[in-house]
Amino acid sequence: MRPALQSDAASGDPYACLALAYFMQTGKEMDMDIPQAITWYERAASLGCARAHWELTRIYLEGEFVTRDEAVASQHLIRSAELGNADAQMYLGDEYMSGGLVPRDEAEALKWYTRSAEQGVSVAKFTVGYMYAHGIGTKRSDTEAEIWFSSAGITGEAEMFMDIGMCYEYGLNGIVHNEVEAARWYKYGVDMGHEKCILCWNSVMESLGGAPREPMEDRLDRLSMTEAQREVNERAGALATADELFDDGLMEEAFESYDHAARLGSPEAMFAKAMMLHQGIGVERDDINAIKELSHAANAGSEDAQFYLARTYESSKFPTDDSQIVKLYSDAAYNGFLAAYYYLSKYVDHPEIYARRTHTRR
């Protein structure tokens, strides 16, 4: 563990505390120590770190490491939302709608959904639009609804569009059945070339044309047989095989399997392959190719690769400029490598806000 990190945490740097908590929780860079991890999360939270409050919310709700405590979880959730964590704001909106951790209050739900939406969370934008369209927690306004729906359509991802379309088509998750709206949301994904949205859009258009509506069980079966889903399953299977071989100590075979999974597009396999190349495990050590593979993994979305590539660049072993380092730390932090917030804070003020803003399509 780096002395500067420990010193900064002891001195009250909230992001150093968050980084220590993350390393202790995950066992990365040091031995896993859950009680100490929680202690450091609590220290970071007491220093005003919204992400630490959010992590504590999850810890106390999941009850894996501590006794489940909804009262403590709700306190951290509310504080995280108040401090600006967009995920906590979205979750708090859900809780006000369901009456779970907090009393049911549709107006309060809309308030927190809106705050999350204003930070660019696409599903929150859709939810705000839906509430205006149906007069939930506010006076009905088709104009406001369309503003938010259009924004969600611009910033959302194809998987979200498919989920929304399914909810409209089959009346799921409290969404009122509306096949016209289902077609609209599927079409957003169709325009992105999303295979599953194309399948769903074709089916709902046939239904709108008078054909019987496809039963949801049949739809799910067809979705599971798409080429995209087969590719997902193949990648997952190849990665699982590699992990098993690695755990069994069959390093050469593991490296070959990670290589296979990496060629199938698995970011996790790319990262594992890079680390094995760097450390000479199951293969001759090759730092040049390790860096190349680490770059591939970072570009594919591996938060571990993004973090360690930034650390490599920061060490000056490989020339780069600060903007690339900042981007990698921001990517890693946004994708869940919480220690990256500490290193990002060395370059920018308010790293939580920076990471969110640089990863949100407005």
Side-chain angles (χ1 to χ4, degrees):
M1 181 55 60
R2 301 174 181 86
L5 172 59
Q6 294 175 313
S7 175
D8 285 348
S11 299
D13 181 327
Y15 293 108
C17 296
L18 181 70
L20 273 183
Y22 176 76
F23 284 141
M24 291 178 177
Q25 182 183 9
T26 60
K28 297 175 181 177
E29 305 224 350
M30 63 189 310
D31 292 336
M32 184 180 294
D33 189 335
I34 299 301
Q36 278 298 305
I38 293 173
T39 296
W40 283 110
Y41 276 133
E42 290 173 341
R43 179 77 185 278
S46 72
L47 293 167
C49 178
R51 184 59 189 248
H53 280 291
W54 177 232
E55 294 304 314
L56 288 166
T57 300
R58 297 165 65 185
I59 287 171
Y60 280 100
L61 282 180
E62 291 169 2
E64 180 180 357
F65 303 125
V66 297
T67 301
R68 177 180 166 85
D69 191 325
E70 292 188 356
V72 174
S74 64
Q75 291 172 4
H76 285 295
L77 174 61
I78 291 169
R79 189 60 183 138
S80 182
E82 290 173 341
L83 288 169
N85 183 283
D87 295 321
Q89 291 166 344
M90 180 70 199
Y91 196 96
L92 185 55
D94 289 341
E95 291 303 312
Y96 273 115
M97 280 299 295
S98 67
L101 296 178
V102 291
R104 178 174 169 79
D105 187 325
E106 293 179 350
E108 277 293 301
L110 178 61
K111 180 181 85 172
W112 290 108
Y113 285 138
T114 301
R115 291 191 183 181
S116 183
E118 288 171 345
Q119 293 201 65
V121 177
S122 297
V123 69
K125 294 178 182 181
F126 165 76
T127 305
V128 172
Y130 187 86
M131 293 180 78
Y132 274 109
H134 293 268
I136 301 171
T138 186
K139 183 178 179 181
R140 177 171 177 170
S141 172
D142 291 338
T143 300
E144 282 291 323
E146 191 55 37
I147 289 171
W148 287 108
F149 282 155
S150 296
S151 183
I154 292 170
T155 64
E157 302 294 337
E159 284 292 324
M160 185 192 88
F161 298 142
M162 192 189 75
D163 290 342
I164 292 172
M166 290 281 286
C167 287
Y168 271 119
E169 187 176 3
Y170 294 104
L172 306 175
N173 299 324
I175 301 295
V176 176
H177 168 73
N178 186 324
E179 291 186 9
V180 173
E181 280 296 314
R184 168 189 182 167
W185 291 96
Y186 288 143
K187 187 61 166 58
Y188 285 129
V190 169
D191 292 341
M192 299 172 76
H194 190 262
E195 182 183 7
K196 293 181 179 180
C197 283
I198 293 171
L199 184 155
C200 291
W201 185 79
N202 286 333
S203 183
V204 79
M205 291 304 292
E206 290 176 2
S207 178
L208 288 170
R213 181 159 59 107
E214 182 177 26
M216 188 170 71
E217 294 79 7
D218 293 349
R219 176 70 57 76
L220 294 175
D221 285 342
R222 288 210 295 144
L223 289 171
S224 70
M225 299 298 292
T226 58
E227 181 65 25
Q229 189 59 48
R230 286 196 293 270
E231 289 176 0
V232 169
N233 294 342
E234 187 177 4
R235 277 196 302 273
L239 179 62
T241 297
D243 287 340
E244 289 176 6
L245 290 168
F246 188 92
D247 291 341
D248 291 340
L250 302 173
M251 297 307 176
E252 291 184 8
E253 294 88 340
F255 180 83
E256 292 177 0
S257 291
Y258 281 127
D259 180 60
H260 175 59
R263 292 177 187 276
L264 292 172
S266 168
E268 297 87 354
M270 294 176 197
F271 175 70
K273 180 182 173 184
M275 291 298 99
M276 293 181 78
L277 283 165
H278 171 59
Q279 297 174 36
I281 299 174
V283 67
E284 185 177 349
R285 179 169 178 169
D286 185 343
D287 280 342
I288 298 299
N289 279 320
I291 289 296
K292 290 180 180 178
E293 198 65 39
L294 199 62
S295 297
H296 292 323
N299 290 333
S302 166
E303 65 268 27
D304 294 282
Q306 289 157 352
F307 177 80
Y308 288 109
L309 186 59
R311 294 295 295 162
T312 300
Y313 286 156
E314 209 170 32
S315 71
S316 299
K317 293 179 181 178
F318 295 86
T320 190
D321 56 38
D322 285 354
S323 64
Q324 181 65 8
I325 294 171
V326 169
K327 180 183 183 303
L328 286 165
Y329 278 141
S330 180
D331 290 346
Y334 183 80
N335 289 325
F337 200 111
L338 303 188
Y341 283 112
Y342 166 70
Y343 296 94
L344 182 61
S345 72
K346 305 301 181 182
Y347 296 90
V348 302
D349 294 330
H350 310 296
E352 290 183 80
I353 296 173
Y354 181 88
R356 166 63 68 180
R357 288 181 174 173
T358 54
H359 290 82
T360 300
R361 292 187 298 161
R362 295 286 176 170

